[in-house]
């Protein structure tokens, strides 16, 4: 498999080696995004993030449109998602993420296997595409009678000046269903992160708060930033139910438009992926008075902490006890599996470059089976996802972020209803209860490791050559290049075809998967004896 | 859930639902992958590159790099010249490539960036790396147009008009082959055929090694394999060109510039145009043409392959005869596939493609027996929703019983409850998509076995008894 591993590599040396290959300007830019963790004293470490990729340096990032349509809106099954643009953008975002959904019945609305596009042609580019867009909306309505239609703008649309919002308004009035548009042209922002923001803002503006029905449940929460990849959302949901906690809505795994409309009636927001959705949590708090906490259901320890956090928020002994019961029960198979797998995985090393939260959340799973994370980084995160929320006021707003709309939110006059009084909140905080708090990825990193934001090919190669990891986690775009080195590669965006990996059950799956990958026979066949020493085996035959 | 839209043979409605085509630059970047030492670069926002990489990777299951000039909002407004230059410089420095293949996206096309002008200002090269451009707005064509456009652009660039032919080898006469968008295994097969004929050939593009390579002893910035630029430069001294694809041939006749027409116009190199050789008849024609051009007999092994194939046709005939199929994909692929199905006795009741060359009908008419044409619904500029409706709207005794095409038809096949045989591109819900052999007698053999077995499986599954013996 991999060669001799040297644990004594100095991350500073790797950084130097990486930067040496770049021309000075690029090197200066990249230097800010590469942060060695040299000791356990990590205060003040900075990671430059959410800055534009240099043209010609191949990035794994997608575009704003991809973040908006694919990531955030993709998992909602009953909104017709209509791409306004030429065919490619819509085609490539057609069910390519593994977000799962469970419609209540076979003939319930589910448009996820569909790909709708205005498929713009020459004349639309020249004369404008609004007419075609409106006709498309009309037709989608005539055929499917959906509850809602949303329109996604691709790059050319922004340029020819089609007003998708005006078209949406007009058709909404005409058809009497909810229709809204996203100005998510691919050139906006620096990565899919811009698209997450635009998607969430639009949902907040056009859907949230439309339905005031209050669910009949004692502990009602929203789960924000969980996209049900590989069925993660299903088992989180199951676990919460087992504890007696109900989800009003999930943003946006296995979701429906009605859930969004109703989400302001929940009593707590639990944020999974901080990057993609923390601002929705903020807006829900400002407008409706729902507090939020950061949770993670990746890894048993985080799951336990998150369940306890939720229970502690409701301050109800019955729930607190129930949660402990569930934890005790669920941990039995997890502990057994750890014991089994650890033997074979102990001491091995991993790297992960993915997304805006998983490079943090998944570290725990590797630690649990005795593995060490040598290097990690995000694809589209911002500084607060590395350094923690306390840096938010210091983050410079550059041209790329400035053109993404920030909503100004105020208290809802009639529906603002603080779920806890100021005193109650304070009392909880004094007990150490962490409202609105996220410390980011840095605290997870070991001394001797390296953080790299928006990693490039060249950087990946250098890392592999110098650290020689036993397993590498990223996405499909990196997968086959990594495997060419004989290093197993786990996709942490789509989970390959595996998953779920969330909560206790998922952890067991994940441990099994890593064990299989690290200890599979296949790697030993890469080289036949005659390939290793051709002269030798030739000699053997002829002598 | 089945939409209740009336059944039409051509889409008369506005949006495209579940498209049966990809966008233009995807085809171009695939061609660039098939040139040795070439890095594809998309001029536009990064999303297009990322999407296309993702798409190609999920089919080939190999690394695929496509650089981007990475537009910002300002670039989109003020033009992308500076970004393009920077991207070219960065790619050149990182990869030291032989060539950078630059395709435009809808964005740079909409802005109207004059890429040839920008490249001209750089002397069409950077540090000895050739810069080759193809214009690929997706609002005017499909991935197929991008593919052929890129092949033509590359040939054009390295074989400029007026290029002096220094020496046209008398002995080692070379043939140029433009195979169109085939699988890796198809390309390997073509190489074998030429080797067996002892005829030197330049195949453009040839991504069969780069997109299916061995593991690395050391890092490869650009994977090995592909048509060398030096070979493309010598295309003008070949004795003959061959271009595969019926629709492509018709388009060329109607004046579309193809690699073959460029070489024939500029250098008088005759070009033979043939359908993609799927099935016995088309393969017969292909081998026959090659034999005539090269003056060499068809090698023995192909005769044997053909006997085996025809024998298999006989053995399997009762399972496929008069069966009805729905086929879709690139126009040229569908045309040849229809020809093959017809020869084994399957009626391709629906022949559909997202392409809109306007020559699809003509090409199908040329390849299918007249008696069959009336029984067939031909659909171009088609999406999967319309295809599905057409199939669902057919009376029971005319409805397709088997579907043949790429992975994108899966949802349709599932809803229609008709088995799907995966061929063509993209295949991302099965392994081995790039290893499917479609062409030659051997390819026909594999297709035939696969189709018969799929029909048998369906029969077996439906059977109450569960026969284990045919
Ligand atoms: S903008 Fe054009 S080139 Fe880019 S993905 Fe969309 S259709 Fe393809
Ligand atoms: S054109 Fe723009 S929106 Fe479409 S894929 Fe490319 S970058 Fe994204």
């Amino acid at each position: 498999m991999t060669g001799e591993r040297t644990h004594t590599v100095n991350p500073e040396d790797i950084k130097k080696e990486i930067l040496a290959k770049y021309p000075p300007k690029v090197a200066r830019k990249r230097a800010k995004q590469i942060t060695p963790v040299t000791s356990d004293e990590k205060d003040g470490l900075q990671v430059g993030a959410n800055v534009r990729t240099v043209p010609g340096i191949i990035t794994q990032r997608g575009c704003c449109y991809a973040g908006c349509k694919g990531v955030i809106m993709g998992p909602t099954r009953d909104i017709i998602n209509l791409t306004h643009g030429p065919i490619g953008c819509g085609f490539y975002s057609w069910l390519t993420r593994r977000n799962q959904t469970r419609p209540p019945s076979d003939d319930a609305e589910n448009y996820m296997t569909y790909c709708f596009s205005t498929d713009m042609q020459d004349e639309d580019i020249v004369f404008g595409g609004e007419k075609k867009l409106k006709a498309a909306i009309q037709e989608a309505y005539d055929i499917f009678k959906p509850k809602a239609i949303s329109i996604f703008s691709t790059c050319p649309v922004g340029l020819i000046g089609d007003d998708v919002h005006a078209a949406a308004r007009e058709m909404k009035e005409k058809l009497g269903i909810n229709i809204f548009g996203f100005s998510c042209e691919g050139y906006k922002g620096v990565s899919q992160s811009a698209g997450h923001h635009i998607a969430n803002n639009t949902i907040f503006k056009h859907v949230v708060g439309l339905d005031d029905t209050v669910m009949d449940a004692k502990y009602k929460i929203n789960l924000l930033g969980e996209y049900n990849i590989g069925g993660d959302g299903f088992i989180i949901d199951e676990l919460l139910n087992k504890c007696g906690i109900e989800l009003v809505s999930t943003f946006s795994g296995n979701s429906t438009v009605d859930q969004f409309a109703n989400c302001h009636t929940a009593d707590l927001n639990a944020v999974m992926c901080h990057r993609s959705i923390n601002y929705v949590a903020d807006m829900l708090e400002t407008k409706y008075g729902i507090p939020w906490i950061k949770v993670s259901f990746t890894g048993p320890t985080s799951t336990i902490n998150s369940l306890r956090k939720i229970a502690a928020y409701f301050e109800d002994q019955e729930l607190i006890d129930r949660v402990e019961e569930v934890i005790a029960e669920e941990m039995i198979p997890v502990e057994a599996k750890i014991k089994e797998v650890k033997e074979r995985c102990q001491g091995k090393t991993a790297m992960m470059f993915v997304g805006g939260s998983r490079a943090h959340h998944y570290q725990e799973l590797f630690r649990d089976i005795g593995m060490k994370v040598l290097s990690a980084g995000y694809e589209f995160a911002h500084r607060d996802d590395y350094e923690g929320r306390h840096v938010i006021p210091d983050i410079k707003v550059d041209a790329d972020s400035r053109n993404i709309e920030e909503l100004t939110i105020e208290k809802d006059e009639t529906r603002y209803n603080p779920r806890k009084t100021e005193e109650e909140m304070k009392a909880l905080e004094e007990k150490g209860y962490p409202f609105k708090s996220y410390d980011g990825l840095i605290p997870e990193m070991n001394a001797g490791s390296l953080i790299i934001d928006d990693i490039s090919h060249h950087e990946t190669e250098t890392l592999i050559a110098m650290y020689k990891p036993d397993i590498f986690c990223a996405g499909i775009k990196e997968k086959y290049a990594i495997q060419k080195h004989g290093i197993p590669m786990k996709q942490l965006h789509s989970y390959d075809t595996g998953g779920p990996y969330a909560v206790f059950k998922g952890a067991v799956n994940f441990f099994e998967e890593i064990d299989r990958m690290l200890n599979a026979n296949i790697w030993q066949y890469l080289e036949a004896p005659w390939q290793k020493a051709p002269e030798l085996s030739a000699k053997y035959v002829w002598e | 859930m089945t939409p209740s839209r009336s059944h039409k043979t051509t889409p008369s409605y506005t949006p495209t639902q579940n498209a049966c085509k990809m966008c233009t630059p995807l085809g171009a970047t695939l061609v660039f992958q098939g040139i040795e030492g070439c890095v594809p670069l998309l001029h536009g926002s990064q999303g297009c590159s990322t999407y296309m990489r993702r798409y190609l990777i999920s089919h080939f299951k190999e690394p695929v790099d496509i650089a981007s000039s990475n537009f910002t909002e300002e670039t989109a407004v003020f033009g992308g010249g500076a970004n393009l230059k920077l991207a070219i410089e960065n790619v050149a420095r990182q990869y030291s490539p032989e060539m950078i293949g630059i395709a435009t996206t809808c964005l740079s096309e909409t802005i109207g960036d004059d890429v040839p002008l920008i490249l001209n200002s750089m002397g069409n090269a950077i540090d000895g790396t050739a810069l080759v451009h193809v214009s690929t707005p997706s609002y005017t064509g499909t991935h197929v147009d991008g593919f052929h456009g890129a092949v033509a652009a590359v040939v054009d660039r390295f074989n400029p008009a007026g290029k002096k032919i220094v020496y046209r080898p008398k002995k080692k006469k070379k043939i140029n082959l433009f195979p169109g968008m085939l699988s890796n295994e198809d390309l390997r097969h073509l190489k074998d055929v030429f080797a067996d004929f002892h005829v030197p050939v330049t195949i453009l593009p040839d991504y069969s090694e780069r997109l299916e390579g061995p593991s690395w002893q050391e890092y490869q910035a650009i994977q090995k394999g592909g048509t060398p630029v030096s070979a493309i430069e010598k295309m003008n001294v070949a004795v003959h060109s061959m271009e595969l694809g019926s629709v492509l041939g018709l388009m060329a006749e109607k004046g579309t510039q193809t690699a073959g027409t460029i070489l024939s116009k500029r250098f008088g190199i005759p070009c033979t145009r043939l359908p993609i050789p799927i099935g016995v008849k088309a393969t017969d024609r292909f081998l026959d043409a090659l034999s005539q051009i090269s003056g060499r007999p068809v090698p023995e092994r192909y005769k044997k392959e053909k006997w085996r194939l025809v024998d298999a046709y006989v053995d399997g005939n009762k399972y496929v005869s008069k069966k009805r199929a729905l086929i879709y994909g690139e126009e040229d692929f569908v045309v040849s596939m229809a020809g093959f199905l017809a020869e084994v006795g399957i009626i391709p009741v629906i022949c559909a493609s997202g392409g809109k060359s306007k020559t699809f009908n003509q090409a199908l008419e040329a390849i299918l027996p007249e008696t069959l044409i009336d029984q067939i619904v031909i659909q171009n500029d088609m999406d999967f929703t319309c295809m599905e409706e057409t199939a669902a709207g057919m009376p029971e005794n005319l409805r397709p019983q088997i579907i043949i095409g790429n992975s994108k038809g899966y949802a349709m096949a599932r809803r229609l409850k008709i088995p799907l045989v995966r061929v063509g591109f993209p295949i991302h819900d099965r392994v081995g998509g790039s290893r499917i052999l479609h062409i030659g007698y051997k390819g026909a053999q594999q297709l035939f076995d696969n189709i018969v077995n799929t029909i048998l499986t369906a029969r077996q599954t439906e059977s109450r008894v569960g026969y284990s013996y045919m």
Side-chain angles (χ1 to χ4, degrees):
Chain A
M1 206 149 86
T2 50
E4 261 303 286
R5 205 173 324 114
T6 29
H7 276 297
T8 48
V9 213
N10 180 350
E12 297 275 10
D13 292 344
I14 300 184
K15 180 172 179 176
K16 261 188 226 130
E17 176 84 17
I18 285 173
L19 296 180
K21 291 268 164 61
Y22 287 129
K25 225 175 122 190
V26 179
R28 260 198 311 277
K29 189 164 185 272
R30 287 305 293 156
K32 294 188 194 134
Q33 288 170 273
I34 304 176
T35 306
V37 182
T38 41
S39 72
D40 288 325
E41 181 47 61
K42 290 176 268 189
D43 280 356
L45 283 184
Q46 284 197 7
V47 184
N50 195 35
V51 289
R52 185 157 284 277
T53 308
V54 180
I57 304 249
I58 293 175
T59 171
Q60 315 300 352
R61 288 172 166 178
C63 61
C64 179
Y65 162 86
C68 183
K69 183 190 179 242
V71 177
I72 305 289
M73 298 310 295
T76 309
R77 65 173 168 267
D78 59 354
I79 302 180
I80 285 199
N81 288 337
L82 173 61
T83 299
H84 186 34
I87 196 66
C89 320
F91 187 91
Y92 303 129
S93 55
W94 176 11
L95 213 65
T96 38
R97 286 170 56 82
R98 291 187 59 249
N99 41 249
Q100 303 187 358
T101 201
R102 240 176 229 167
S105 69
D106 274 354
D107 44 37
E109 277 182 290
N110 178 12
Y111 305 114
M112 273 179 29
T113 59
Y114 285 85
C115 159
F116 301 91
S117 166
T118 53
D119 193 0
M120 289 175 104
Q121 300 297 307
D122 260 333
E123 59 274 15
D124 307 315
I125 297 285
V126 178
F127 301 111
E130 278 176 48
K131 227 171 89 195
K132 191 172 191 184
L133 173 62
K134 283 185 243 170
I137 295 172
Q138 178 72 49
E139 238 170 42
Y141 175 77
D142 292 344
I143 299 164
F144 296 99
K145 300 274 173 340
K147 288 192 192 110
I149 298 177
S150 64
I151 307 151
F152 300 85
S153 313
T154 62
C155 291
V157 166
L159 224 70
I160 59 175
D162 275 3
D163 189 343
V164 300
H165 304 290
R169 269 195 307 276
E170 186 187 323
M171 295 309 286
K172 179 177 177 175
E173 203 137 286
K174 181 169 171 202
L175 303 174
I177 60 167
N178 201 354
I179 301 178
F180 42 90
F182 301 93
S183 288
C184 56
E185 292 85 351
Y187 51 72
K188 289 204 172 145
V190 304
S191 69
Q192 48 272 60
S193 170
H196 305 151
H197 203 155
I198 290 169
N200 285 319
N201 278 353
T202 307
I203 290 296
F204 196 82
K205 246 177 22 192
H206 292 272
V207 186
V208 170
L210 292 180
D211 173 11
D212 289 330
T213 320
V214 179
M215 179 194 261
D216 179 27
K218 215 163 161 191
Y219 317 112
K220 308 185 279 296
I221 70 168
N222 295 318
L223 188 57
L224 306 186
E226 158 46 52
Y227 302 102
N228 201 19
I229 302 293
D232 273 354
F234 294 146
I235 58 173
I236 296 176
D237 205 357
E238 234 169 65
L239 178 72
L240 292 173
N241 285 342
K242 199 169 166 184
C243 299
I245 302 161
E246 291 290 332
L247 285 179
V248 179
S249 77
T250 301
F251 277 63
S252 56
N254 190 31
S255 62
T256 60
V257 67
D258 291 342
Q259 287 182 15
F260 297 151
N262 188 235
C263 73
H264 62 294
T265 62
D267 293 325
L268 174 70
N269 283 319
V271 174
M272 279 278 284
C273 171
H274 175 262
R275 174 65 272 127
S276 56
I277 208 149
N278 68 80
Y279 27 77
V280 171
D282 275 337
M283 294 190 292
L284 282 168
E285 175 153 31
T286 315
K287 188 161 177 181
Y288 300 104
I290 313 171
W292 72 266
I293 53 170
K294 172 77 177 71
V295 296
S296 163
F297 288 106
T298 309
T301 312
S302 292
T303 305
I304 292 173
N305 292 341
S306 300
L307 288 176
R308 285 183 180 152
K309 247 195 216 174
I310 295 171
Y313 169 81
F314 286 104
E315 298 178 88
D316 182 332
Q317 198 56 42
E318 192 189 320
L319 179 63
I320 293 169
D321 292 344
R322 177 64 193 145
V323 159
E324 290 308 322
E325 264 170 49
V326 171
I327 292 171
E329 185 191 324
E330 294 273 339
M331 275 306 282
I332 296 168
V334 176
E335 272 158 3
K337 185 51 76 180
I338 289 180
K339 200 160 155 240
E340 177 204 331
V341 169
K342 203 169 181 174
E343 252 171 61
R344 293 185 290 267
C345 299
Q346 181 93 42
K348 307 238 170 164
T349 57
M351 289 184 177
M352 52 191 81
F353 294 92
V354 35
S357 61
R358 287 195 174 151
H360 167 186
H361 292 163
Y362 271 79
Q363 299 208 11
E364 172 184 328
L365 282 165
F366 285 104
R367 264 200 311 269
D368 283 343
I369 49 174
M371 292 177 64
K372 195 168 158 190
V373 175
L374 299 172
S375 185
Y378 297 125
E379 187 178 305
F380 51 76
H382 300 199
R383 271 184 61 197
D384 39 324
D385 305 304
Y386 288 105
E387 300 168 43
R389 284 182 66 85
H390 67 272
V391 296
I392 293 178
D394 304 336
I395 296 179
K396 266 207 289 244
V397 181
D398 61 8
D400 280 315
S401 336
R402 208 165 297 127
N403 48 36
I404 294 151
E405 184 193 27
E406 283 291 345
L407 300 182
T408 332
I409 300 295
E410 274 160 24
K411 274 187 193 161
D412 189 281
E413 275 174 24
T414 53
R415 293 177 294 178
Y416 179 80
N417 162 28
R419 303 311 198 259
K420 289 203 184 274
T421 62
E422 244 168 74
E423 295 77 59
E424 284 170 335
M425 294 280 280
K426 229 192 230 124
L428 271 172
E429 271 171 339
E430 266 159 25
K431 275 194 265 168
Y433 196 84
F435 284 112
K436 284 167 82 139
S437 143
Y438 180 48
D439 293 334
L441 169 128
I442 288 178
E444 295 289 316
M445 302 300 292
N446 305 307
S449 65
L450 188 61
I451 302 172
I452 303 188
D453 181 64
D454 184 23
I455 194 169
S456 73
H457 272 349
H458 152 64
E459 290 158 6
T460 307
E461 295 303 331
T462 314
L463 282 188
I464 288 180
M466 296 184 74
Y467 272 128
K468 300 186 175 57
D470 292 308
I471 194 164
F472 196 102
C473 307
I476 188 167
K477 284 164 257 123
E478 300 94 316
K479 182 171 178 86
Y480 299 99
I482 305 284
Q483 288 188 167
K484 292 278 179 204
H485 293 280
I487 295 173
M489 148 80 208
K490 178 68 193 166
Q491 289 190 60
L492 281 191
H493 292 277
S494 76
Y495 300 167
D496 297 286
T497 50
Y501 297 139
V503 300
F504 304 105
K505 283 206 182 78
V508 170
N509 285 342
F510 192 76
F511 297 146
E512 277 172 359
E513 173 75 348
I514 297 304
D515 180 33
R516 174 191 70 75
M517 294 182 80
L518 285 174
N519 300 304
N521 275 334
I522 36 176
W523 303 104
Q524 77 199 34
Y525 306 132
L526 279 180
E527 262 182 49
W530 51 266
Q531 283 170 305
K532 281 182 195 142
E535 322 78 40
L536 260 186
S537 58
K539 230 168 155 190
Y540 174 75
V541 173
W542 288 106
E543 266 169 13
Chain B
M1 165 176 162
T2 321
S4 54
R5 191 200 286 158
S6 65
H7 145 230
K8 291 174 192 127
T9 53
T10 49
S12 59
Y13 56 95
T14 319
T16 296
Q17 275 185 36
N18 304 352
C20 182
K21 59 178 175 186
M22 282 154 278
C23 75
T24 325
L26 181 127
T29 56
L30 183 56
V31 170
F32 295 144
Q33 299 282 337
I35 296 171
E36 192 177 63
C38 173
V39 175
L41 166 65
L42 287 186
H43 185 38
S45 308
Q46 75 199 16
C48 309
S49 296
T50 302
Y51 270 141
M52 283 175 231
R53 286 177 64 206
R54 199 207 172 291
Y55 236 80
L56 291 166
I57 291 170
S58 67
H59 172 84
F60 287 100
K61 306 194 165 58
E62 288 285 314
V64 174
D65 281 0
I66 302 172
S68 162
S69 60
N70 225 299
F71 274 43
T72 61
E73 184 145 24
E74 287 73 44
T75 332
V77 176
F78 300 113
N83 273 51
L84 180 58
K85 277 190 197 161
L86 186 58
I88 289 172
E89 283 163 17
N90 279 329
V91 169
R93 191 181 22 246
Q94 291 172 90
Y95 292 87
S96 318
E98 292 281 320
M99 173 187 144
I100 302 177
I102 299 146
T104 43
T105 65
C106 300
L107 178 57
S108 52
E109 286 284 343
T110 307
I111 303 175
D113 268 356
D114 191 341
V115 176
L117 192 80
I118 299 167
L119 298 185
N120 253 327
S121 76
M122 303 175 77
N124 291 309
I126 178 166
D127 306 332
T129 298
L131 305 176
V132 180
H133 159 247
V134 56
S135 165
T136 45
S138 285
Y139 41 81
T140 54
T142 72
H143 59 294
V144 177
D145 300 285
F147 188 98
H148 295 313
V151 174
V154 171
V155 168
D156 171 58
R157 167 60 196 275
F158 293 114
N159 300 274
K163 182 169 179 173
K164 272 232 183 74
I165 299 170
V166 193
Y167 165 68
R168 186 166 267 167
K170 290 239 166 52
K171 272 213 177 124
K172 285 241 162 198
K173 288 180 188 162
K174 226 175 179 179
I175 291 181
N176 303 320
L177 174 65
F178 303 106
M181 202 168 144
L182 297 181
S183 76
N184 286 344
E185 197 64 31
D186 292 334
L187 294 170
R188 286 190 283 264
H189 185 66
L190 285 170
K191 286 195 268 192
D192 286 347
V193 171
F194 278 82
D196 290 338
F197 268 89
H198 300 288
V199 173
V201 64
T202 303
I203 301 180
L204 180 70
D206 174 12
Y207 35 79
S208 65
E209 277 175 39
R210 176 154 165 189
L211 296 182
E212 206 160 337
S215 65
W216 298 339
Q217 299 298 322
E218 59 194 70
Y219 173 54
Q220 295 176 15
I222 308 174
Q223 298 105 275
K224 300 210 170 72
T227 318
V229 169
S230 58
I232 304 172
E233 280 170 338
K234 291 200 197 89
M235 282 190 147
N236 56 77
V237 299
V239 293
H240 210 102
S241 301
M242 293 176 93
E243 235 166 24
L244 303 183
S246 317
V247 164
L248 181 68
L250 290 169
M251 301 282 284
E253 271 171 33
K254 291 193 173 156
T256 301
Q257 196 183 46
T258 69
T261 57
I262 292 174
L263 292 170
S264 66
K265 270 195 206 133
R266 291 184 189 165
F267 307 100
I269 301 174
C271 182
T272 299
R273 300 199 163 84
L274 294 165
I276 299 172
I278 303 180
V280 167
K281 265 196 280 179
T283 305
D284 283 351
R285 268 182 79 183
F286 174 70
L287 293 179
D288 199 43
L290 188 52
S291 167
Q292 294 206 5
I293 294 166
S294 65
R296 292 175 195 272
V298 173
E300 202 57 28
R301 60 177 289 190
Y302 296 96
K303 293 179 190 158
K304 288 184 183 160
E305 279 176 11
K306 176 171 176 175
W307 294 332
R308 280 199 293 272
L309 174 60
V310 175
D311 199 43
Y313 277 10
V314 173
D315 295 343
N317 190 261
K318 64 175 173 176
Y319 306 113
V320 292
S321 176
K322 301 261 158 43
K323 284 278 181 300
R324 299 174 302 272
L326 183 174
I327 53 177
Y328 59 84
E330 290 92 27
E331 288 170 294
D332 273 327
F333 185 76
V334 171
V335 170
S336 287
M337 189 57 79
F340 157 71
L341 293 177
E343 77 186 17
V344 303
I346 298 177
I347 311 164
V349 285
I350 301 176
C351 296
S353 176
K356 46 173 186 178
S357 68
K358 303 209 176 85
T359 53
F360 190 40
N361 288 46
Q362 200 185 335
L364 277 165
E365 277 161 22
I367 212 158
L368 292 174
E370 224 170 286
T371 47
L372 219 55
I373 286 288
D374 308 338
Q375 307 176 41
I376 290 171
V377 181
I378 299 173
Q379 304 179 311
N380 59 4
D381 195 9
M382 184 50 48
D383 63 24
F384 282 109
T385 302
C386 267
M387 245 182 262
E388 183 176 334
E389 276 171 20
T390 310
M394 286 174 149
E396 187 70 43
N397 59 342
L398 297 179
R399 200 175 296 162
Q401 295 153 305
I402 189 161
I403 298 179
I404 300 171
N406 57 54
S407 288
K408 283 309 195 192
Y410 171 66
M412 164 179 76
R414 183 182 158 116
R415 281 188 289 261
L416 290 170
K417 297 196 173 62
I418 302 175
L420 168 66
V421 173
R422 286 171 181 76
V423 289
F425 173 91
I427 295 178
H428 44 48
D429 61 344
R430 287 291 181 275
V431 295
S434 59
R435 290 187 291 273
I436 296 177
L437 181 64
H438 309 86
I439 64 166
Y441 301 128
K442 240 173 148 179
Q445 181 74 72
Q446 291 179 12
L447 288 175
F448 185 75
D449 292 348
N450 193 356
I451 290 170
V452 173
N453 286 334
T454 305
I455 291 172
L456 288 175
T457 306
R459 247 175 50 160
Q460 222 165 10
T461 315
E462 280 162 25
S463 149
R464 287 194 164 158
V465 184
Y467 296 101
S468 63
Y469 197 78
M470 296 196 329

